[in-house]
Amino acid sequence: MRLFSTSSSSPKPNFPLFSPSQNPKRSTSKTLPPFKTRLPSPSFLSLPPCTANSSPSFPVLDQGADREDSLEPKQDTFKKVLVVRRPVMDVSGEENDDGSEDGEAEGDDVISKPSGIDAGLEEFAKKMPLFEPERGESGGTVEKPLAVNLDLSLYKARVLARKYRYEEAENILEKCICYWPEDGRSYVTLGKILSKQAKRTEARAVYERGCQATQGENPYIWQCWAVLENKMGNIRRARELFDAATVADKRHIAAWHGWAVLELKQGNVKKARHLLAKGLKFCGGNEYVYQTLALLEAKANRYEQARYLFRQATKCNPKSCASWLAWAQLEVQQENNRAARLLFEKAVQASPKNRFAWHVWGVFEANIGNVDMGRKLLKIGHALNPRDPVLLQSLALLEYKHSTANLARVLFRRASELDPRHQPVWIAWGWMEWKEGNISTARELYQRALSIDSTTESAARCLQAWGVLEQRAGNLSAARRLFRSSLNINSQSYVTWMTWAALEEDQGNSVRAEEIRNLYFQQRTEVVDDASWVTGFLDVIDPALDSIKRLLNLDQGLINKAREPSKDAESIEDGAEEPFLTTSLGLNDGNDIGYGSRFDLNAFIKDKLSLDPSKLDLLMENSGKSSPKRVTSPRRMWRSQTRTTMTLP
């Protein structure tokens, strides 16, 4: 028999208001008056504990019934809690015939009337996502893909970027950022792709968005952003971003190395050593660490220390092509040709398809008189890397020097079609046409090079060569303007200063020539490097690569010492630097060393690279016919027009 009548159904499940010890008990007597229950404490977020020793808040009417039903209220209450936490299900309060749900129905009847606690619980439930049925029933939220899809998408985007399908790669990366905004790899990859297209403002916005999404804890985004600002000339901002990268992760070796390279470019050698030492302390040494230190020692003419550090670098990673090539070029500088050749051999064995290894080795052999060997090495490099314009450029200059100008023009044209924005190709081509007496063609080619970018070191060399052309043509005022423009870009060029001074000397202005020479020595940046050196330096990735190309250039070193007049007299008399060396030996990459090795080049390329040495010329011809032209986007065409700051004198 029940004390209260129950409704057939309850409109909506509610939070249980009673603990098992506080639920009303059924009674066998009909004459007992209804009793009043005591409400729980105001803290409705927690239920009062239910223990065996806790006394009920109302008198026990029937001890036997209490013993029989001692477990039933607990089970019913637990069921009610489960029902309440599943709001999407429609819970009815209909009675069962056996009366097993009497307690539940009674509870529903008691709490069906609104009360202060009911209102509070209802407001609380509205604020909790657990109590919102729309999230569980409607398909409004998009289900997040598995994490493996992120790795696959990033790989696909990189492949598309290598094929110059930038728009498709950007769309994929934007989706990755939408699904995984907390992953920094998408921002880094997208920023690099935008930077390759010279969309530096967009790349900066991507990096900034990535830092905000990752709450500033991803050092890779900070470091890539710093490299971008460094390329744009914002040195102070780049320092701040490198600092932020090292704060985010002091073990991020690329940040320490990139920052050190920045300081080296600014002439702060001691600061660079300090940063590299910190990187060594936190990250440990690797081949790039020792390689960077070795190059600093070579710049300071401490060659034994440099060799020791190169040896340590190659021990750390025998497959490090950069370390072997840098060591080889050190031996080239010291005229140790046998050691250099052995190092080049180890280089191609460590990285058989590395375009820099074949390129630098081919140039080395051509410069020491092994023209056929140099030509063969450059052709092997081109067969392995048919889209590299620098290999074709060096091969064109080699053919011009030892063969015919027409063959060189064919190679120059093919190189310019592979990469229309590669300035050294246009400069070298213009230099060749000037030597052939085609002045108007040379001017057009020089202007084409400057239309790509008039602020780079290549542009400075182009302006200097163009100035010499105008000087020989008798346009002295134009030549002076071009020399001045070149020095505005690179004020440390010894050849440009001395060429200008020679022009004034030829015109009888000896006083002006002496002033120009004095100006060079006054403004020359003197970098003093102490003899103390740290046996460890680091670097590990690509911010370095472009910076290291300039850092390691043996012809245009970072320290910018005045060249010996005996070495530069020939180039000054000739008027312009021959682009063969300045454009071909711009990168120091390294390889392995193994003295006494017998290296069979033909057998090596046949076994490792599946190339037939007798068919290299045929491969050259076929690659020229079937090589796809690089697509130039409309925006690039627009940039090339807007950045044309130089006009024909």
Side-chain angles (χ1 to χ4, degrees):
M1 181 179 292
R2 292 189 292 270
L3 294 177
F4 304 102
S5 61
T6 60
S7 58
S8 61
S9 63
S10 60
K12 162 181 175 180
N14 290 307
F15 234 93
L17 298 180
F18 302 99
S19 66
S21 63
Q22 292 173 332
N23 283 339
K25 304 299 179 182
R26 291 180 291 178
S27 174
T28 57
S29 175
K30 294 183 179 180
T31 60
L32 289 176
F35 55 87
K36 296 181 179 179
T37 60
R38 184 178 299 174
L39 292 174
S41 62
S43 178
F44 56 87
L45 297 180
S46 61
L47 297 175
C50 177
T51 62
N53 298 329
S54 61
S55 61
S57 60
F58 49 87
V60 179
L61 301 179
D62 191 347
Q63 297 293 337
D66 182 70
R67 283 192 300 270
E68 292 175 2
D69 302 332
S70 60
L71 297 176
E72 186 176 351
K74 296 182 182 180
Q75 296 173 356
D76 293 344
T77 304
F78 185 66
K79 289 179 181 179
K80 289 170 68 178
V81 172
L82 292 179
V83 171
V84 169
R85 290 187 178 271
R86 299 188 183 203
V88 296
M89 298 180 63
D90 188 12
V91 181
S92 63
E94 297 181 357
E95 302 179 30
N96 292 336
D97 295 337
D98 58 357
S100 62
E101 295 294 323
D102 288 348
E104 186 173 351
E106 291 166 7
D108 291 342
D109 185 72
V110 172
I111 64 176
S112 61
K113 296 180 181 181
S115 64
I117 293 181
D118 287 332
L121 287 173
E122 188 175 357
E123 291 299 325
F124 174 75
K126 288 180 180 179
K127 296 178 182 179
M128 298 297 293
L130 182 63
F131 295 91
E132 296 180 7
E134 296 80 14
R135 296 190 178 228
E137 293 177 352
S138 65
T141 58
V142 181
E143 195 171 327
K144 190 173 182 179
L146 296 176
V148 68
N149 293 295
L150 174 61
D151 299 328
L152 295 174
S153 299
L154 290 173
Y155 174 76
K156 185 176 181 180
R158 294 189 186 102
V159 171
L160 291 172
R162 283 196 291 267
K163 296 179 179 178
Y164 307 103
R165 296 162 63 180
Y166 294 125
E167 187 175 354
E168 299 176 42
E170 291 172 17
N171 293 334
I172 292 175
L173 293 170
E174 288 291 351
K175 290 181 181 179
C176 292
I177 291 174
C178 179
Y179 286 123
W180 299 277
E182 71 284 352
D183 196 289
R185 292 176 294 173
S186 303
Y187 302 98
V188 170
T189 307
L190 180 57
K192 289 183 178 180
I193 289 175
L194 292 171
S195 298
K196 287 181 180 179
Q197 302 174 75
K199 299 178 181 178
R200 294 179 174 177
T201 304
E202 293 88 337
R204 177 190 289 164
V206 168
Y207 291 141
E208 186 174 1
R209 182 163 46 130
C211 290
Q212 292 175 357
T214 58
Q215 300 180 358
E217 296 180 356
N218 191 304
Y220 296 93
I221 303 176
W222 288 115
Q223 182 257 336
C224 291
W225 189 0
V227 172
L228 177 66
E229 296 293 343
N230 187 19
K231 289 180 180 179
M232 298 174 69
N234 303 326
I235 305 300
R236 183 175 181 180
R237 181 62 173 159
R239 286 191 179 105
E240 295 173 355
L241 295 170
F242 278 127
D243 190 18
T246 58
V247 170
D249 184 6
K250 64 181 181 180
R251 294 178 177 270
H252 189 60
I253 192 170
W256 294 110
H257 180 269
W259 193 356
V261 171
L262 182 150
E263 298 298 342
L264 285 173
K265 289 178 62 179
Q266 300 301 311
N268 303 324
V269 177
K270 290 185 179 180
K271 176 67 173 177
R273 286 183 179 275
H274 177 68
L275 293 170
L276 292 170
K278 275 192 172 182
L280 179 66
K281 174 183 177 182
F282 294 127
C283 312
N286 57 26
E287 69 273 16
Y288 297 100
V289 171
Y290 292 112
Q291 174 190 335
T292 306
L293 180 58
L295 292 165
L296 287 175
E297 296 307 309
K299 291 291 182 182
N301 298 326
R302 294 189 285 270
Y303 300 112
E304 290 304 320
Q305 292 90 331
R307 289 187 179 95
Y308 169 78
L309 292 166
F310 277 131
R311 190 173 292 108
Q312 295 300 317
T314 54
K315 284 182 179 179
C316 287
N317 183 11
K319 298 295 184 181
S320 174
C321 188
S323 299
W324 291 116
L325 279 181
W327 190 356
Q329 291 201 18
L330 171 66
E331 301 300 339
V332 171
Q333 188 185 30
Q334 296 299 304
E335 298 182 356
N336 299 326
N337 294 337
R338 180 178 177 275
R341 184 177 290 109
L342 291 171
L343 287 164
F344 283 128
E345 292 173 0
K346 291 293 184 178
V348 297
Q349 293 178 59
S351 182
K353 294 186 178 181
N354 189 288
R355 58 195 177 105
F356 300 117
W358 295 105
H359 180 212
V360 180
W361 188 9
V363 171
F364 162 74
E365 296 292 350
N367 286 343
I368 63 175
N370 300 330
V371 178
D372 293 336
M373 184 64 174
R375 184 185 288 113
K376 181 178 181 179
L377 293 169
L378 291 173
K379 288 180 179 179
I380 293 172
H382 175 71
L384 297 172
N385 303 275
R387 295 200 59 86
D388 182 29
V390 181
L391 286 163
L392 285 177
Q393 171 200 334
S394 296
L395 188 57
L397 288 166
L398 181 64
E399 297 295 350
Y400 171 66
K401 201 169 185 179
H402 302 282
S403 181
T404 63
N406 289 332
L407 179 56
R409 287 189 184 97
V410 172
L411 295 172
F412 275 128
R413 185 172 291 107
R414 285 170 56 184
S416 64
E417 289 172 354
L418 286 176
D419 189 358
R421 293 187 58 79
H422 191 71
Q423 283 182 302
V425 169
W426 299 104
I427 298 171
W429 193 356
W431 178 86
M432 187 200 75
E433 296 294 348
W434 169 53
K435 289 293 184 180
E436 288 295 297
N438 302 321
I439 305 300
S440 59
T441 304
R443 286 192 182 113
E444 292 175 2
L445 293 169
Y446 284 146
Q447 188 172 5
R448 179 66 182 271
L450 292 173
S451 69
I452 298 170
D453 194 343
S454 59
T455 61
T456 61
E457 293 183 7
S458 295
R461 290 196 297 269
C462 179
L463 289 166
Q464 187 267 344
W466 195 353
V468 173
L469 183 151
E470 298 300 336
Q471 176 187 354
R472 297 295 177 86
N475 302 324
L476 301 182
S477 59
R480 291 187 179 97
R481 288 199 305 271
L482 291 165
F483 289 144
R484 190 178 295 110
S485 299
S486 176
L487 293 172
N488 287 337
I489 300 172
N490 181 16
S491 63
Q492 305 297 304
S493 175
Y494 175 80
V495 173
T496 306
W497 283 104
M498 297 302 110
T499 305
W500 190 2
L503 182 151
E504 301 296 343
E505 195 81 44
D506 293 340
Q507 298 301 313
N509 302 328
S510 57
V511 176
R512 178 59 176 161
E514 190 63 27
E515 289 177 356
I516 292 172
R517 295 189 185 96
N518 292 335
L519 279 173
Y520 165 71
F521 288 106
Q522 289 173 11
Q523 61 80 45
R524 185 182 60 178
T525 302
E526 287 284 357
V527 179
V528 180
D529 187 12
D530 55 356
S532 62
W533 50 282
V534 185
T535 58
F537 275 83
L538 25 126
D539 149 30
V540 54
I541 75 179
D542 77 280
L545 214 33
D546 287 336
S547 302
I548 285 247
K549 290 178 185 179
R550 292 185 289 270
L551 173 67
L552 310 188
N553 193 334
L554 298 178
D555 292 330
Q556 299 177 4
L558 175 66
I559 299 180
N560 291 305
K561 294 184 177 181
R563 298 185 185 182
E564 294 295 333
S566 60
K567 294 183 180 180
D568 288 316
E570 183 179 354
S571 63
I572 294 174
E573 290 177 2
D574 190 41
E577 290 183 281
E578 183 179 355
F580 189 87
L581 294 177
T582 58
T583 58
S584 300
L585 291 178
L587 176 66
N588 291 338
D589 282 359
N591 272 203
D592 193 352
I593 187 170
Y595 290 97
S597 63
R598 293 287 183 180
F599 182 69
D600 188 346
L601 180 62
N602 292 336
F604 175 77
I605 63 174
K606 184 177 291 186
D607 296 339
K608 297 291 184 180
L609 305 174
S610 301
L611 289 178
D612 189 350
S614 62
K615 297 182 179 179
L616 292 176
D617 294 333
L618 182 61
L619 290 174
M620 283 286 300
E621 295 177 3
N622 294 335
S623 64
K625 295 177 182 178
S626 61
S627 60
K629 294 184 179 180
R630 184 173 178 178
V631 178
T632 304
S633 63
R635 189 178 186 280
R636 285 193 171 185
M637 297 296 294
W638 176 80
R639 286 187 73 257
S640 64
Q641 295 174 4
T642 55
R643 299 195 67 166
T644 304
T645 58
M646 300 300 300
T647 57
L648 288 173

